[in-house]
Amino acid sequence: MTTSQVDRGRVVIAGGSGFLGRSLTQHLTEAGWSVVILSRNPQPDKTGWSQREWDARTVGPWFESLEGADALVNLTGRTVDCVKTPENQDEILRSRVESTRVLGEAMRMLTNPPPVWLQMSTAHIYGDPPSLWCDESSPCGYGLAPTVAQAWEQEFAAALLPSQRSVVLRTSFVIGRRRGNWGGALDRLVPLARWGLGGTVGSGTQGMSWIHELDLNRLFERGLTDATMRGTYIASAPHPVPNREFMRTLRDVLGMPIGIPALNWMVRLAAPLMRTDPELALYGRYVVSRRLREEGFEFRFPELRAALQDLLPH
């Protein structure tokens, strides 16, 4: 694979103040990039990262940070780890579509817009097939998440400038660390496992497709630096596992011999108390990237056990 490198420059990350945004910002700054974060609530930060306030819905002074930037990365979107009330479902959709739309509007006001736009999407676009393995050529699924994902990607296609190279990363759930603690999907799973509640969830056969935060950051950086990278990719480790295996491996890495299983009815009863959606735990999908395999991308953490051992005390 031939890689065309660009000089390290300035990257604007929309929605960059969350777990994924901060992880990517740290990764890029350590690699020599200058990063500007667009955030609804910019906070004083001792890292030296530049932050601009935006509401993710209307063009404001923040758009000036895009002038002459080398790339835009859009991570904006309300978390799906919530109770799916009508209000939350509406905000999950609007936060993604409207932020993408306003970024496109801002692009058209610039003299020198970023030549590269990297866009987050979700592997949940394939729905929740119980046993099928999906790649980039698989059809979209049915339900809230696939509907939101399709609207998100359609808005992105409309917002792009004809001159821009674009990359869409359909991301599975991310495992990582945050300020010395666990982050991403591990926020909920590690405490449960440490309390002895990390047993099989539901049937235990639902697919758990995952990616280590370092590999996700490397994919974003590849999108910045590799001029041959275009279009839609699945961002997920090449070895998804069933829930039963994921939870067993997590317990082993944490040194917890006990894991009480959670039956379907238990998950549905407890989910509202934990302010989450039971379907996030009871359903899943197996996704792998055919395109990354064909293009020779090498994951640092292709296997779950090594990924968890890198992230968790053991």
Side-chain angles (χ1 to χ4, degrees), residues 232-271:
T232 301
Y233 294 79
I234 289 175
S236 189
H239 299 293
V241 296
N243 170 270
R244 181 180 293 107
E245 181 178 340
F246 188 101
M247 299 308 295
R248 181 173 61 245
T249 305
L250 178 61
R251 295 195 307 271
D252 287 347
V253 171
L254 290 172
M256 171 55 70
I258 300 171
I260 299 174
L263 303 178
N264 283 34
W265 68 267
M266 296 176 178
V267 176
R268 294 191 181 280
L269 186 64

Side-chain angles (χ1 to χ4, degrees), residues 68-246:
D70 294 277
L72 166 66
V73 178
N74 184 20
L75 307 176
T76 310
R78 189 203 193 285
T79 179
V80 298
D81 186 5
C82 63
V83 179
K84 295 302 191 300
T85 63
E87 294 83 0
N88 286 343
Q89 292 182 57
D90 186 73
E91 184 59 21
I92 287 170
L93 173 64
R94 291 181 182 276
S95 63
R96 287 161 172 75
V97 171
E98 292 179 351
S99 61
T100 304
R101 180 179 302 158
V102 76
L103 287 168
E105 292 173 1
M107 293 290 185
R108 287 154 177 80
M109 300 171 63
L110 302 173
T111 303
N112 296 300
V116 180
W117 186 343
L118 308 184
Q119 176 73 23
M120 174 74 83
S121 184
T122 174
H124 207 162
I125 196 170
Y126 302 106
D128 299 299
S131 59
L132 294 177
W133 286 54
C134 300
D135 64 17
E136 287 88 351
S137 64
S138 299
C140 298
Y142 176 80
L144 173 65
T147 298
V148 169
Q150 290 176 78
W152 197 7
E153 293 188 11
Q154 289 167 6
E155 192 63 47
F156 173 61
L160 271 173
L161 297 175
S163 61
Q164 288 176 317
R165 177 171 64 86
S166 65
V167 178
V168 176
L169 294 182
R170 291 176 174 171
T171 306
S172 62
F173 75 77
V174 184
I175 56 176
R177 297 186 67 83
R178 177 171 54 196
R179 294 183 178 179
N181 210 337
W182 51 85
L186 298 182
D187 270 339
R188 289 194 181 275
L189 296 179
V190 169
L192 290 174
R194 284 181 167 169
W195 297 335
L197 301 176
T200 298
V201 179
S203 69
T205 61
Q206 65 271 36
M208 295 189 72
S209 299
W210 58 274
I211 186 170
H212 189 293
E213 64 174 318
L214 175 59
D215 281 324
L216 181 59
N217 291 338
R218 291 176 59 238
L219 280 175
F220 273 112
E221 188 175 15
R222 178 174 181 254
L224 296 175
T225 59
D226 188 343
T228 68
M229 191 174 180
R230 295 173 179 267
T232 301
Y233 294 79
I234 289 175
S236 189
H239 299 293
V241 296
N243 170 270
R244 181 180 293 107
E245 181 178 340
F246 188 101

Side-chain angles (χ1 to χ4, degrees), residues 19-99:
F19 161 63
L20 295 181
R22 286 182 171 271
S23 178
L24 178 59
T25 297
Q26 181 173 345
H27 178 86
L28 292 179
T29 53
E30 290 176 353
W33 296 86
S34 172
V35 176
V36 179
I37 291 175
L38 302 183
S39 174
R40 293 181 182 89
N41 299 293
Q43 301 294 323
D45 200 311
K46 297 180 181 180
T47 61
W49 303 334
S50 177
Q51 300 185 53
R52 298 292 299 271
E53 183 175 2
W54 78 324
D55 63 4
R57 285 188 163 92
T58 56
V59 177
W62 57 265
F63 90 95
E64 298 168 354
S65 63
L66 292 167
E67 185 68 57
D70 294 277
L72 166 66
V73 178
N74 184 20
L75 307 176
T76 310
R78 189 203 193 285
T79 179
V80 298
D81 186 5
C82 63
V83 179
K84 295 302 191 300
T85 63
E87 294 83 0
N88 286 343
Q89 292 182 57
D90 186 73
E91 184 59 21
I92 287 170
L93 173 64
R94 291 181 182 276
S95 63
R96 287 161 172 75
V97 171
E98 292 179 351
S99 61

